[in-house]
Amino acid sequence: MTQFVYVFGGDKTEGSAAQKNLLGGKGANLAEMASLGLPVPAGFTISTDMCTTYYDNGKTYPKTLDAEVKKALKHIESAVGKSFGDDNDPLLVSVRSGARVSMPGMMDTVLNLGLNDKTVEGLAKKSGDARFAYDSYRRFIQMYGDVVMGVDHYEFEDVLDTHKRNKQLKNDTQIDATGWKKIITDYKEIITRFAGHPFPQDPHEQLWGAISAVFNSWEIPRAVTYRKINDIPSGWGTAVNVQAMVFGNMGSDCATGVAFTRDPSTGENVFYGEYLINAQGEDVVAGIRTPLPIVEMKKTMPAVYDELLAVREKLESHYCDMQDIEFTVQQNKLYMLQTRSGKRSAAAALKIAVDLVKEKRITQDEALMLVSPESLDQLLHPTLDPKATKNVLGTGLPASPGAATGQVCFSPDEAEELSKKDIDVILCRTETSPEDIHGMHAAKGILTTRGGMTSHAAVVARGMGRPCVAGAGTLAINDRDGVMIAGDKRISAGEIITLDGSTGEVMLGQVATQKPNLSGDFETIMAWADKARRMNVRTNADTPEDVATALGFGAEGIGLCRTEHMFFDADRIQAVREMIFANSTDGRRKALAKIEPYQVNDFKAIFKGMDGLPVTVRLLDPPLHEFLPHKTEDVKLFADNMNLNIESVRSRLAQLHESNPMLGHRGCRLGITYPEIYEMQVRAIIMAALDVQKTGTDVRPEIMIPLISSKNEMTFFKDMSHRVAKELIKQSGQKLNYMVGTMIELPRAALRANHIAEDAEFFSFGTNDLTQTTLGLSRDDAGHFLPEYVNKGIYPRDPFVSLDIDGVGQLVDMAVQKGRATRPDIKLGICGEHGGDPSSIMFFDSVGLDYVSCSPYRVPIARLAAAQASITHNKEKITKLKKDA
């Protein structure tokens, strides 16, 4: 019989941190902490396998589950000495979700489950505090009504706010037992009105309602959105964690808190967090009350604080990583409710990784695995110039570092829509909730007027790499009127503001920026990555500016120089159009002679910048119609400049029109039809290389023929390239090493790679077009419907962002094997957009490519991803060798 329920705490613990795929991150770590002897309230975890089974069986449970849950409840009852549903001394539990990775979009926690109209009286008598008991009951009704029964939490907040206003009370802690009883009555009426049936009084019905709500939350929109953003497979499922309640809201000797073993914004080795006295559960992160810095606990609860410091050290030493912990203090006794690897800013991730190596807790390779390659993007872009003039509207907490400028936007839905139109927005909210996840991802920065450094906004923003200013209490947001009030200023939606997530400042208008300073920990991590990785990392660059940027980020050559990008300058485009309109070979050569000097100078600048590094130059790839005028006024201007009749120009445009230019007269097909174009380009490459080489520069040109599908095409262009190059080299009296190869971007090229390799000295996989031609999808057109494929799970992710390993990947793997079988020393790389995607890089390393090439700003990301791929695959090889031995 399949086991679905695993207990922890008390006298028995099943499971460990190594089983997070089965128990979810929360459940696995609760079991681990219990095994370490930390004070963990007893509980049980329903595994992620149950979630998968639940959906596979049409949202029904196997008959065996009920018995397993009852047995696990007995385990908690034995550990705590209370009975679930007992009217006199009830066992109360919390119910939490727990996927294998942290997912802010999942179901909110339900606390105090087991309370009803009778058990609340028993709790009041047993605790001797009626106010505490009825406060706990109203919390449970509100949480359960919201997350299980689907009643909007604002309905409950309205009741609470009205009661405090009528009684002239400022804080929830001022409400007495009588007040809570009245509020509870109102809450139950709200539930009956909005849910259509009364609040359940049976504790077992409550428990199964909460369990089902956790599993159902796996497919709610905000969870699906978060998975999509973070490439989390839908098949992983979530676990359910049921745990005995401990109470931080029983008085002044009680508290609840969230802490990080190091500063998640800077990485500094200091205990960092917040807590609230006489509070429960989500109070700290909800922003309802202003929490205290964790260091204040030295004064208010010194013994508990010392115990927390010992737990901090024990957890860091055990997990060898910065931990995010949740705890509750009940009558001066500490209880641990969670530990997990904490979300952190990119700068903090680097510092923490480097410091852990310095502290001899982890190796350099282990440090590299702690840093997300994608997070480095946060560090590669400009920050605010400290000398710039600032019009500061207000300040809050520096919750997530970085700077962002954009339009004020009060709605997450609107933020998403504006982002689709390439409009930068700052999402401004009183506080954020998991429902806002799509708008937070779309925004360039996040501003809240409530909440602390461990609020939802702060934690999610750090994980996403979005600058965030939280708890800016001097500002007020009026959602209804669509304004933000700062003193005597009213900021409307659409106005521009700037956030500085490193200082907490909120500024009116756009503020000047400066280039990032990539030194210290960044350089250390990159040096370790370069030592660990097998693949080289090149860049896709077409200009000297791109070259300089890429070299600054550590590029080891150019994997793709797109020559067509050099043709669109105003002076050059006219000559290109003359060439296209020419009626003879001589006419085309005459026009090409005007373009050739530009090409030579372009290549010289690039070769000089890439001294000693390879430069792969792709010959002209796009169809000719892309260079022609299409607007009426542009067509007329061109005709006038060429002294041509406008009708003859229109006739030629019609001749060049293609129904499907992606599969039409482009790439090497242009070179077959008009070989003089490719001859000019090869001549320009070789002439530039010879000129630059005379100055002492080490030049390594690689001539790449695009869109090859057969060996005959490759032979044609190899012979042409060598003929042109050898003639120029002979005239110069120099020696020049160069290569001629091709892009593999058509399925037939991959299938015939062993034959093409007879003439090609290198393959560079053009995975953009290889994806289009393999899947039969136009990247430009598919954008209208491809998101639905991802949303409905037909594709796990966008194949133009992350390589389709099962399809396109098979062709790459096949071409690698076939190419090497013919030419063992063939150089193999990839220059499509996938060259900067970490999950694709993992695959490219596994099939043995020599290098990846990506845009300049993705180079550091690719360097780290390539290192992680090497480390992962080396571990797998060692494990296999040990197993075989």
Side-chain angles (χ1 to χ4, degrees):
M1 184 181 72
T2 302
Q3 181 179 353
F4 289 115
V5 179
Y6 298 78
V7 299
F8 58 83
D11 60 357
K12 183 181 180 182
T13 292
E14 301 170 314
S16 68
Q19 293 175 287
K20 72 175 184 177
N21 290 357
L22 176 68
L23 303 178
K26 191 177 268 93
N29 285 327
L30 283 168
E32 190 78 4
M33 285 197 295
S35 297
L36 290 172
L38 296 180
V40 175
F44 63 87
T45 298
I46 306 176
S47 72
T48 58
D49 284 351
M50 185 65 257
C51 185
T52 306
T53 302
Y54 177 72
Y55 281 102
D56 288 347
N57 294 340
K59 294 189 175 182
T60 60
Y61 299 111
K63 293 178 181 179
T64 56
L65 186 63
D66 184 63
E68 283 194 77
V69 168
K70 285 178 179 175
K71 183 180 177 182
L73 272 174
K74 293 291 184 187
H75 165 77
I76 303 178
E77 290 174 338
S78 174
V80 177
K82 299 175 186 288
S83 295
F84 190 61
D86 183 351
D87 289 348
N88 298 312
D89 190 13
L91 165 67
L92 304 181
V93 297
S94 64
V95 179
R96 293 178 170 90
S97 63
R100 66 173 76 175
V101 295
S102 174
M103 280 187 57
M106 292 294 292
M107 189 192 89
D108 294 335
T109 300
V110 174
L111 302 176
N112 310 325
L113 189 145
L115 283 174
N116 58 28
D117 293 347
K118 291 183 179 179
T119 57
V120 69
E121 294 176 6
L123 181 63
K125 290 176 184 176
K126 191 70 179 178
S127 66
D129 187 345
R131 187 210 164 274
F132 152 71
Y134 286 97
D135 175 28
S136 298
Y137 191 21
R138 71 88 190 177
R139 290 171 182 268
F140 171 48
I141 294 172
Q142 181 170 349
M143 292 178 191
Y144 197 92
D146 177 13
V147 303
V148 179
M149 303 181 76
V151 179
D152 197 314
H153 74 96
Y154 290 116
E155 299 294 338
F156 302 108
E157 291 295 336
D158 281 346
V159 169
L160 184 58
D161 289 342
T162 300
H163 181 88
K164 286 193 292 188
R165 188 166 54 250
N166 291 342
K167 297 290 184 179
Q168 296 184 329
L169 304 176
K170 184 178 180 182
N171 296 318
D172 298 358
T173 52
Q174 295 173 289
I175 300 174
D176 60 16
T178 302
W180 285 129
K181 287 180 183 180
K182 173 65 173 68
I183 289 168
I184 286 167
T185 300
D186 292 343
Y187 276 8
K188 288 195 286 188
E189 288 176 358
I190 286 171
I191 285 178
T192 301
R193 185 164 76 250
F194 285 95
H197 56 89
F199 181 78
Q201 292 291 308
D202 180 0
H204 289 278
E205 181 186 346
Q206 295 171 357
L207 178 60
W208 282 102
I211 290 170
S212 294
V214 172
F215 288 139
N216 289 333
S217 75
W218 182 249
E219 289 297 338
I220 60 177
R222 72 194 194 206
V224 172
T225 297
Y226 188 85
R227 289 203 299 273
K228 190 192 310 178
I229 292 168
N230 293 279
D231 286 337
I232 298 171
S234 61
W236 280 6
T238 182
V240 180
N241 299 287
V242 179
Q243 193 172 16
M245 278 299 305
V246 287
F247 300 96
N249 60 328
M250 294 181 75
S252 60
D253 58 354
C254 304
T256 186
V258 176
F260 295 81
T261 57
R262 301 185 187 223
D263 188 321
S265 291
T266 66
E268 187 181 356
N269 189 5
V270 294
F271 197 28
Y272 176 101
E274 297 168 323
Y275 76 107
L276 277 170
I277 292 175
N278 196 20
Q280 191 178 52
E282 305 297 299
D283 288 357
V284 175
V285 297
I288 296 167
R289 287 164 54 193
T290 303
L292 300 168
I294 196 73
V295 70
E296 288 292 312
M297 193 177 268
K298 273 184 186 179
K299 303 172 186 174
T300 59
M301 297 179 172
V304 173
Y305 183 74
D306 288 343
E307 190 178 354
L308 260 179
L309 289 180
V311 169
R312 172 201 179 202
E313 176 58 31
K314 190 167 192 173
L315 287 175
E316 265 217 355
S317 296
H318 183 74
Y319 283 97
C320 297
D321 190 14
M322 183 263 277
Q323 295 295 291
D324 169 1
I325 63 176
E326 291 181 15
F327 63 90
T328 286
V329 180
Q330 179 178 311
Q331 296 174 326
N332 287 315
K333 179 170 174 55
L334 175 68
Y335 293 94
M336 299 305 301
L337 305 182
Q338 173 179 284
T339 191
R340 62 186 176 189
S341 293
K343 294 186 182 297
R344 62 207 77 180
S345 69
L350 297 178
K351 179 167 177 54
I352 289 167
V354 171
D355 284 354
L356 288 172
V357 173
K358 289 178 181 176
E359 294 163 19
K360 296 185 168 33
R361 297 188 186 219
I362 59 174
T363 65
Q364 290 180 8
D365 282 0
E366 289 169 334
L368 292 173
M369 300 304 290
L370 289 180
V371 182
S372 163
E374 288 286 5
S375 72
L376 298 180
D377 192 51
Q378 299 173 36
L379 306 174
L380 307 180
H381 298 283
T383 56
L384 292 186
D385 184 347
K387 298 177 183 176
T389 302
K390 302 175 187 176
N391 182 355
V392 178
L393 294 171
T395 57
L397 300 171
S400 183
T405 298
Q407 291 186 10
V408 168
C409 181
F410 300 110
S411 159
D413 292 338
E414 186 181 356
E416 186 175 49
E417 288 305 309
L418 290 171
S419 176
K420 290 177 182 176
K421 298 175 183 177
D422 293 326
I423 297 173
D424 294 344
V425 298
I426 305 296
L427 182 62
C428 303
R429 305 284 279 168
T430 301
E431 58 185 307
T432 63
S433 69
E435 286 88 351
D436 298 338
I437 192 78
H438 58 297
M440 297 173 76
H441 182 252
K444 293 296 180 182
I446 299 158
L447 168 67
T448 67
T449 57
R450 288 204 314 207
M453 298 291 281
T454 56
S455 64
H456 176 269
V459 172
V460 173
R462 282 195 293 268
M464 286 183 172
R466 300 291 187 275
C468 176
V469 174
T474 58
L475 305 176
I477 291 175
N478 185 329
D479 292 318
R480 190 168 300 165
D481 295 337
V483 295
M484 180 166 62
I485 300 166
D488 58 355
K489 292 187 176 72
R490 292 170 64 87
I491 314 300
S492 301
E495 291 193 54
I496 301 297
I497 62 169
T498 297
L499 303 183
D500 189 340
S502 301
T503 65
E505 290 181 318
V506 182
M507 293 147 279
L508 186 63
Q510 185 167 353
V511 179
T513 58
Q514 63 181 9
K515 291 183 178 180
N517 178 24
L518 300 177
S519 58
D521 296 327
F522 179 87
E523 289 183 337
T524 300
I525 288 289
M526 286 294 102
W528 292 347
D530 293 342
K531 186 167 67 172
R533 64 186 164 89
R534 179 191 62 78
M535 289 191 298
N536 288 338
V537 176
R538 300 194 195 181
T539 189
N540 301 339
D542 317 314
T543 67
E545 292 76 22
D546 286 346
V547 168
T549 300
L551 287 172
F553 289 144
E556 297 167 307
I558 291 178
L560 176 62
C561 175
R562 293 155 289 205
T563 54
E564 61 272 8
H565 287 189
M566 303 170 175
F567 288 173
F568 287 97
D569 181 89
D571 294 331
R572 307 181 190 194
I573 195 67
Q574 180 68 19
V576 172
R577 290 169 177 172
E578 288 177 22
M579 181 269 293
I580 295 170
F581 272 78
N583 293 319
S584 65
T585 301
D586 286 344
R588 283 189 291 276
R589 290 190 186 281
K590 184 178 178 182
L592 288 166
K594 297 179 181 178
I595 303 169
E596 187 173 308
Y598 292 118
Q599 289 263 273
V600 172
N601 288 332
D602 288 336
F603 294 139
K604 284 168 70 172
I606 289 171
F607 289 145
K608 285 177 183 176
M610 283 286 165
D611 185 6
L613 299 173
V615 176
T616 303
V617 181
R618 182 179 72 186
L619 303 188
L620 190 65
D621 184 42
L624 295 179
H625 78 92
E626 288 194 9
F627 301 101
L628 297 176
H630 295 286
K631 293 180 181 178
T632 302
E633 59 271 26
D634 293 335
V635 172
K636 185 177 185 308
L637 180 63
F638 174 71
D640 292 343
N641 289 339
M642 290 285 292
N643 292 319
L644 293 172
N645 181 286
I646 193 167
E647 291 307 318
S648 66
V649 173
R650 286 177 176 150
S651 175
R652 181 63 173 143
L653 289 173
Q655 290 173 8
L656 290 167
H657 172 77
E658 296 184 67
S659 297
N660 191 343
M662 185 189 83
L663 299 178
H665 195 195
R666 55 167 284 216
C668 68
R669 299 158 191 173
L670 283 173
I672 295 288
T673 311
Y674 308 121
E676 54 274 11
I677 297 176
Y678 276 18
E679 287 176 1
M680 180 277 289
Q681 289 196 291
V682 171
R683 191 162 53 247
I685 292 167
I686 300 301
M687 287 172 62
L690 290 168
D691 281 354
V692 171
Q693 186 173 257
K694 281 191 287 189
T695 66
T697 301
D698 182 1
V699 186
R700 303 183 186 185
E702 299 175 352
I703 300 166
M704 183 161 69
I705 314 299
L707 219 69
I708 289 288
S709 65
S710 72
K711 179 184 184 299
N712 289 342
E713 287 170 324
M714 189 64 226
T715 302
F716 179 90
F717 290 110
K718 178 203 72 170
D719 291 345
M720 181 273 288
S721 298
H722 286 323
R723 172 174 52 79
V724 172
K726 286 177 180 176
E727 183 179 339
L728 291 169
I729 292 169
K730 183 178 179 180
Q731 291 173 2
S732 73
Q734 301 179 59
K735 291 182 179 180
L736 178 68
N737 292 321
Y738 68 95
M739 300 175 73
V740 179
T742 187
M743 281 187 97
I744 302 292
E745 49 192 328
L746 296 174
R748 192 180 193 278
L751 293 167
R752 303 291 291 171
N754 51 326
H755 299 282
I756 294 172
E758 293 174 13
D759 289 308
E761 296 175 277
F762 66 87
F763 288 165
S764 179
F765 291 93
T767 53
N768 297 348
D769 273 351
L770 189 57
T771 297
Q772 294 191 98
T773 53
T774 301
L775 297 182
L777 286 175
S778 164
R779 180 170 54 170
D780 296 330
D781 297 328
H784 299 297
F785 60 84
L786 200 53
E788 283 303 304
Y789 270 65
V790 178
N791 291 341
K792 291 173 178 168
I794 295 168
Y795 289 156
R797 54 186 65 89
D798 186 334
F800 293 107
V801 174
S802 193
L803 191 76
D804 165 36
I805 291 172
D806 293 338
V808 179
Q810 279 199 43
L811 290 172
V812 172
D813 191 11
M814 179 194 303
V816 167
Q817 294 182 48
K818 284 176 171 282
R820 285 215 169 107
T822 297
R823 188 187 290 265
D825 63 345
I826 192 169
K827 186 182 290 187
L828 301 169
I830 178 263
C831 61
E833 290 299 314
H834 303 94
D837 171 58
S839 62
S840 303
I841 289 170
M842 184 70 72
F843 170 77
F844 296 137
D845 185 78
S846 72
V847 298
L849 294 193
D850 297 311
Y851 69 86
V852 296
S853 188
C854 55
S855 62
Y857 279 94
R858 304 282 305 174
V859 167
I861 294 167
R863 288 164 68 190
L864 178 55
Q868 292 181 349
S870 288
I871 292 166
T872 300
H873 293 136
N874 286 338
K875 279 184 179 177
E876 289 172 354
K877 288 175 186 174
I878 292 168
T879 301
K880 186 177 185 302
L881 287 171
K882 288 180 179 178
K883 186 177 179 181
D884 292 344

